[in-house]
Amino acid sequence: MMMTTRLPLDRSQQAADYLRSAGGGVMDTIAHFWERLAQTPPLSRDDLHLVLAGQAAGEAAGVNISNAAGAMLYVPKAHRADILALSPDAGTALCGYLEKWWGDSQEQKSPVMDNGVIPTLPINYITGLAAGIEAITPRLLAVVSRKAPARKTINVLMTLPSDYPAALCRHVRLARDGDEPVLNRWRKMYNQERGILFDADVDAWIASRHVYVYDLNGQIIALAKFDLILPATVEIGGVFTFPEFRKQGHGTELINDLAYRIRQMKKTPLLQVDIENIPALTLYRKMNWIELGRLARVWLSSDS
């Protein structure tokens, strides 16, 4: 039978390393934030639950990183959890931990709130390796008294293997002063098509030097940005070609250019694609990008 062990935050680096090794690259971004937990202000640490699931290392011992089958960071005040579950049993154990913690925390309280509503586990949002999240979601929905998620997305995490070439494109440049109207158009149209609204401070985008445009004879026809720059990887995001210029190869040249720049930084290029965005997935596969795995995000309630 699987059990759970809550780790002290001074072991967050070990938990982050486990996410990287067990998650096949899909959980690397999440791992980056886990390894910073030890720096969390002391007054906030009790509110962070860093938990392993797996077989006990011995009769009276807890779960060790070496034999873990799942890991979770739960932040009650933020109503969210990052979860890696490599088996249904691990998912069950992690859900059981949440239920027990919530039951224990309510033990000294009235079972009914002043408005007559029975309190439910404060968790609205979960993210993690897709297979595990899919298995855990029904049980968590029952705990928060929901029949279906408010929203769910699954992203395919992809990378360009080092043996496939990438090259600079003479039409690609950094966004600069004067590009603001086009950047705002990109922001609005991306939200219309993909349901994701970028931060509105386009001046800060330009200053960051992480936004690139495909400029053809003075007209910007495609854009992309570096979403996250980590020690070993850079994630490309917001890739967008304006509708009137699609299917002409411009997006391919832009992505290849950014992959080249990332390699020059001695890092690995990554990108995430919504599993329902078939045109984009088809394009990246034709460009020799390969799938590392799938990352799921589930909003259990509309309050998140």
Side-chain angles (χ1 to χ4, degrees):
M1 180 178 177
M2 290 222 174
M3 64 174 294
T4 56
T5 297
R6 184 174 179 180
L7 298 180
L9 295 190
D10 60 11
R11 293 186 63 192
S12 61
Q13 181 64 58
Q14 290 176 280
D17 291 343
Y18 170 73
L19 281 194
R20 291 191 177 94
S21 63
V26 178
M27 303 287 286
D28 285 10
T29 299
I30 294 171
H32 172 70
F33 295 101
W34 282 29
E35 63 192 359
R36 296 184 175 188
L37 293 180
Q39 303 168 21
T40 301
L43 292 177
S44 302
R45 292 184 183 180
D46 288 343
D47 195 46
L48 303 176
H49 295 253
L50 185 61
V51 183
L52 293 181
Q55 300 296 334
E59 186 173 337
V63 179
N64 288 332
I65 295 286
S66 60
N67 64 358
M72 172 178 67
L73 174 65
Y74 174 50
V75 187
K77 287 183 179 177
H79 294 190
R80 62 165 292 157
D82 301 324
I83 299 172
L84 170 66
L86 299 179
S87 70
D89 287 345
T92 297
L94 293 171
C95 287
Y97 174 91
L98 292 173
E99 292 167 349
K100 184 178 186 307
W101 166 79
W102 181 240
D104 291 346
S105 70
Q106 297 301 299
E107 200 170 58
Q108 304 302 319
K109 301 177 182 179
S110 170
V112 179
M113 298 175 67
D114 292 340
N115 60 5
V117 178
I118 298 175
T120 58
L121 176 68
I123 182 167
N124 293 336
Y125 174 76
I126 56 175
T127 184
L129 205 62
I133 295 297
E134 290 285 284
I136 290 170
T137 298
R139 180 163 176 171
L140 288 180
L141 284 171
V143 174
V144 298
S145 301
R146 301 277 176 172
K147 293 183 179 180
R151 183 183 170 204
K152 177 176 70 175
T153 64
I154 298 178
N155 282 358
V156 179
L157 185 70
M158 307 185 82
T159 188
L160 184 65
S162 59
D163 55 342
Y164 284 102
L168 288 174
C169 172
R170 64 188 179 91
H171 298 296
V172 177
R173 63 168 173 81
L174 282 166
R176 63 194 182 204
D177 289 343
D179 291 337
E180 292 88 350
V182 182
L183 297 182
N184 274 315
R185 184 183 176 216
W186 168 42
R187 175 175 175 267
K188 293 174 182 176
M189 293 189 70
Y190 197 90
N191 181 45
Q192 291 170 0
E193 291 193 11
R194 306 305 317 152
I196 298 172
L197 185 62
F198 302 147
D199 186 292
D201 192 349
V202 296
D203 291 329
W205 295 358
I206 293 170
S208 74
R209 298 178 63 83
H210 294 161
V211 177
Y212 291 83
V213 303
Y214 190 105
D215 185 335
L216 186 62
N217 301 322
Q219 185 171 20
I220 296 174
I221 61 179
L223 309 92
K225 58 190 174 75
F226 292 160
D227 269 346
L228 192 61
I229 300 176
L230 299 179
T233 62
V234 177
E235 186 173 304
I236 300 170
V239 180
F240 188 84
T241 301
F242 289 114
E244 60 268 32
F245 298 106
R246 291 177 182 171
K247 298 184 178 180
Q248 298 177 37
H250 305 309
T252 297
E253 291 184 316
L254 175 59
I255 295 162
N256 270 328
D257 180 281
L258 297 192
Y260 180 89
R261 294 173 193 263
I262 292 167
R263 286 176 175 173
Q264 291 299 107
M265 298 162 65
K266 307 299 183 185
K267 299 176 188 287
T268 300
L270 299 175
L271 53 81
Q272 292 187 43
V273 190
D274 190 316
I275 198 171
E276 296 181 355
N277 189 352
I278 302 303
L281 283 172
T282 301
L283 172 64
Y284 295 134
R285 286 166 179 156
K286 285 182 178 178
M287 295 171 59
N288 298 311
W289 287 69
I290 61 170
E291 180 177 335
L292 291 175
R294 301 182 179 192
L295 185 71
R297 297 175 175 89
V298 177
W299 291 259
L300 298 172
S301 86
S302 56
D303 299 329
S304 51

